[in-house]
């Protein structure tokens, strides 16, 4: 099978992408829910559909890490997603989760800051510690140590919070690599979404509409 | 909560590890199956049990990637696990999956080679291409490109094989980071297992006993 | 002089920023022209105004490299600016010149691609060679060699074009470091500008209005 | 246009170098002043003359940064030039500015130390802080932060001094890349100049003769 | 001379390996002593025998550094050997000296920890400082400074101890590179040796038998 | 024992340096020979004298690698010494062996090129291949492979030549680390030696006088 050497914004994945009509009914139904709740089917799901059982596992794990109740807010998880994806320069995840940060925070500048250089974001001590750890675990994981965990505790995280920062960061080190491996392209709709300056709309997680970028929050 | 700064071979995780008796029955049952099939409960499961729903997702994904039918042999998946973990210097995964390579291959030298420097392993072109790609996707994922995929095709992999090499490598970039984050310690039993030189026992995947290191093969 | 340790989107520079009214008349006049032609005074100029003679040199060099007639289009120069700034993770330049790429190309996706991972941009051979060279000269300048220059010639650049690719890339290695050194913050207006999807407006350099991000094109 | 792949000490630049006689009169006059004050025309000027307007900007900026009145001594600026060029392994700048350090300091060992490994130079706290910052801004600019600026203040620099350290370091990250891009060769005369051991001649900036390596100090 | 591109566990060196019978009598005698004391002739000696005078120097230096009386125990020297070889991913040295650590410590887990990730070893402050310094001197030697030497003194080392840590680490940076250069293969016997879990045998340097991996301790 | 944190050009080593008069007679005699043949006692010998048996081994190995008959010329060995030391930024070795290259080649520019950036040296294919390999073996030894050895053969080296390039490069990775560890300072005399431009004196290895920098050539 030949493939072009140039990335193509209209090609979701460099590996085969099945027609939606050919998918099993549980996956077709999940895509319908995405369209209803998110307004689109995230391309990562279409790309993973090449290996349907992997897609089912991905959905379960993604929703557990990003959407289940836990010590981190949904915005914090998306912030980690973007900060990790910036270290790995993962185009798909930066576009999709950058949009999620813009939407959940109501602050389009924050999304840009995290995608381009998280050190420029005016974070409080808790979120700064969180992202510093995510960056270290991404760039130089063998150096993570007890001192790091103590810094997170000092910033207010409990043991479950430490686990979740680590697992969210670790998980995006997995998805970033999948996106790079298949040159995954994000849905074009993300680019223009939630660009209105802060103040132009109600802020934050209470804002109307929308589950995070790649998942559907059953509990909504 | 104070913790010592020195790793401790008797401490499974730097974060809390629940008593097995306190786990939900589905997890206790899974641990029983592990003991029966593997002779031990891999410590990664005990560490993950701190966050039980994460453990459930980990088991599902692990078994899907490492044990389900697919284009890569179980040994090849374990070879990727070890080669990736070597790049990240993940002690837990090198010990646990190094043992799996020794057992599945019947070749203790191969396990050492992959754990210490996979370039020294006398692999055929297919497995060399597979591990070169896993190393690149670990160390420098943003450079993965069409040329890499073509090299894998030239080495005999089909599209699903390319996906699975990538996903196996990507997945261990996730688990390696979790192991580093909590200073996960492997079960001591792994160290002495399957050290008998090649030739001293029947070789390969047909050899008696044993599912891979961290999972239970339902289909066994 | 004490300063806070946290970046502040309302602080243009970590070093003193003079009041516009206190500047010499030539600089005040230049700021007026910026407001008229760009709709804003780029913060880089306000930051540099701390050292007025440096600002004068910066304006001269910037306008020469980015706006004077030459073998590279203005869009190509801005593409280099963004690609180099992405390697150095320079927030200021990515925001300001990312907007310039969106405006000059009429393609907001292209701006995102270059800012987040230029390898994902569907460039033709000429622009691919141009950005590959800019990346190399940024990340590993000591390895630039005759082979690189020959690749640029093969992609259609003449000798002056090679010079200009190199100098544009080199120049942003200078400005990126100044922006990092003083934690330069871009004007907030950039974020929302030129986000309309391709097709929604007339494309390209012929589009109405606008000089590039930090300069004023006298020849307009 | 073909070019040899081997650097050639007799080739000033890998791109075309115009004949001096063909240059505009302002540039020819400047070259005359160089010969009079420096005893030679620095090759960087001949290389830049391929793009005459760039040469004019280069001369202006160079003289402003390296020679204008300011909080750093001329020797300190040359020390930064050499320390930055050492990180980037820029042959041209190390030879030309290494000579300037030897001349301005009257200490040939200092020039060697800065060119080979600035950490071996027995600097006072002020100059040590200055070069540590220049090295960080060269090697890892995204990590420059408020702590760095405070260390410079503690070492005695005022706000303008911090700007000037940063800009001098940033500027040589630009010129180093231009020199690498065109394989710029320094004038051979530099090698033997100012090699007399300390003590053999009057020391320091008061010593007779000479403006810095690539510029002409109008104020001399 | 053609050679295969694939490493071969049965090929001691990629460069010629002379027949033992063809060696000078002093070297043949030394090989005999190795067989008597170690049970094998370490392959490094057979590889070096291609250049007999180099082998003589190697034996002298090796025995001086690893076996002569001095401030470091023989186990500590082997620990440095393994920790340095792990940074350089030197297969030969990790196999040979990993076995030596297992034997001298009576603790097979310690050997694995040092070979795979020395940070996971539960070392006391003295040995932790020793290995931290060896790692730094291997990975980033230009940053070694007075602070490092003071940390070693604080951990209990005297001046000769500091020299010996440095020289042992430095020496394995030499031997690791020789092993990489000729793709040196360790004797297969090492793999299965000293794998019995701690407690199964008498521990430590007092344990019966054996000189270190590559040398013969005349003083035994 | 306290020590200053600042390098000191008058301090040969950060660890104790014995008085020459206190050394054993064999070492005193060797120092006398150095003075006679080289005009000085290289400081590396005085630094090593802190551990006299190490000094004896160092002298033996140094003289074997750098001065014994073999497939590489003495100049080529010194070129490798300088090129490796440049990668490691070893001040001592760059000063001492840079002088040796100047002396043996009669070409002071060559010494500077190798010390500052060996890629700028106009070498023939044989010496280019030699230094490319030395650089790779220094910077990234785990990637050395059969392809490298074939390139050396294609450039005219036989098997012993390949060994010697590798061992010379490896050896300076050892000595560079010792020099960094003790902040070894070179004899000041080196700086001014052999600076006369090419042509000013007879060139090359036939030139009068002088054994290489740190050793005494018995065969002279």
């Amino acid at each position: 099978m030949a493939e072009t050497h140039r990335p193509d914004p209209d090609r979701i994945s460099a590996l085969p992408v099945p027609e939606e009509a050919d998918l099993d009914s549980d996956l077709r139904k999940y895509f319908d829910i995405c369209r209803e709740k998110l307004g689109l089917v995230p391309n990562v799901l279409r790309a993973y559909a090449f290996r349907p059982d992997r897609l089912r596992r991905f959905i379960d794990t993604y929703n557990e890490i990003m959407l289940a109740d836990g010590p981190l807010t949904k915005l914090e998880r998306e912030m980690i997603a973007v900060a990790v994806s910036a270290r790995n320069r993962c185009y798909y995840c930066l576009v999709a989760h950058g949009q999620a940060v813009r939407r959940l925070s109501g602050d389009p500048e924050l999304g840009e800051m995290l995608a381009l250089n998280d050190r420029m974001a005016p974070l409080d001590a808790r979120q700064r510690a969180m992202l510093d750890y995510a960056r270290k675990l991404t760039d130089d994981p063998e150096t993570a140590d007890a001192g790091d965990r103590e810094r997170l505790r000092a910033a207010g995280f409990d043991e479950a919070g430490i686990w979740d920062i680590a697992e969210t960061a670790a998980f995006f080190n997995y998805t970033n690599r999948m996106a790079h491996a298949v040159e995954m392209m994000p849905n074009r709709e993300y680019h223009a979404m939630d660009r209105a300056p802060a103040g132009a709309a109600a802020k934050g997680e209470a804002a109307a509409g929308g589950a995070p970028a790649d998942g559907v929050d059953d509990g909504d």
Side-chain angles (χ1 to χ4, degrees), chain A residues 18 23-24 27 48-57:
Chain A
L23 299 180
D24 292 342
L27 297 175
Y48 259 84
F50 173 51
R51 302 282 284 145
D53 283 339
R54 301 298 173 85
L55 174 55
R56 293 182 177 98
R57 299 292 84 70

Side-chain angles (χ1 to χ4, degrees), chain A residues 6-177:
Chain A
R6 196 190 298 186
D8 176 354
D10 294 317
R11 188 185 65 180
I12 290 172
S13 165
L15 297 186
V17 177
E19 292 297 315
E20 186 173 340
D22 297 336
L23 299 180
D24 292 342
S25 65
D26 63 322
L27 297 175
R28 277 184 285 122
K29 184 168 167 230
Y30 192 77
F31 282 22
D32 285 339
I33 297 173
C34 287
R35 262 185 298 264
E36 183 187 339
K37 294 213 176 191
L38 306 176
L40 53 77
V41 179
N43 282 349
V44 63
L45 303 183
R46 294 191 188 281
Y48 259 84
F50 173 51
R51 302 282 284 145
D53 283 339
R54 301 298 173 85
L55 174 55
R56 293 182 177 98
R57 299 292 84 70
F58 174 80
I59 291 169
D60 283 355
T61 301
Y62 182 93
N63 289 346
E64 173 64 30
I65 290 177
M66 297 304 281
L67 302 175
D69 286 344
L72 304 182
T73 68
K74 290 177 191 174
L75 173 58
E76 287 173 337
R77 303 179 211 189
E78 293 290 347
M79 291 170 70
I80 295 170
V82 175
V84 166
S85 302
R87 301 312 299 175
N88 291 326
R89 301 187 194 274
C90 176
Y91 182 65
Y92 183 95
C93 298
L94 286 166
V95 170
H97 293 278
Q99 184 269 334
V101 168
R102 293 196 304 269
R103 185 176 49 73
L104 289 171
S105 67
D107 181 355
E109 260 183 273
L110 181 65
E112 292 293 283
M113 285 165 162
L114 298 184
L116 299 177
N117 182 343
D118 79 77
R119 288 182 173 98
M120 292 299 279
L123 305 175
D124 62 23
R126 170 183 164 96
Q127 294 182 338
R128 174 53 36 231
M130 179 182 84
L131 294 191
D132 283 350
Y133 187 60
R135 187 172 56 234
K136 186 180 189 180
L137 210 52
T138 297
D139 286 356
D140 203 9
E142 67 175 289
T143 65
D145 64 11
D148 294 310
R149 294 186 297 270
E150 283 175 17
R151 269 185 288 278
L152 292 171
R153 288 177 193 119
F157 292 101
D158 66 6
E159 303 299 284
I162 296 172
W163 179 283
D164 284 15
I165 296 170
E167 191 170 9
T168 309
F171 180 70
F172 280 90
N173 272 285
Y174 159 38
T175 63
N176 288 175
R177 282 172 173 82

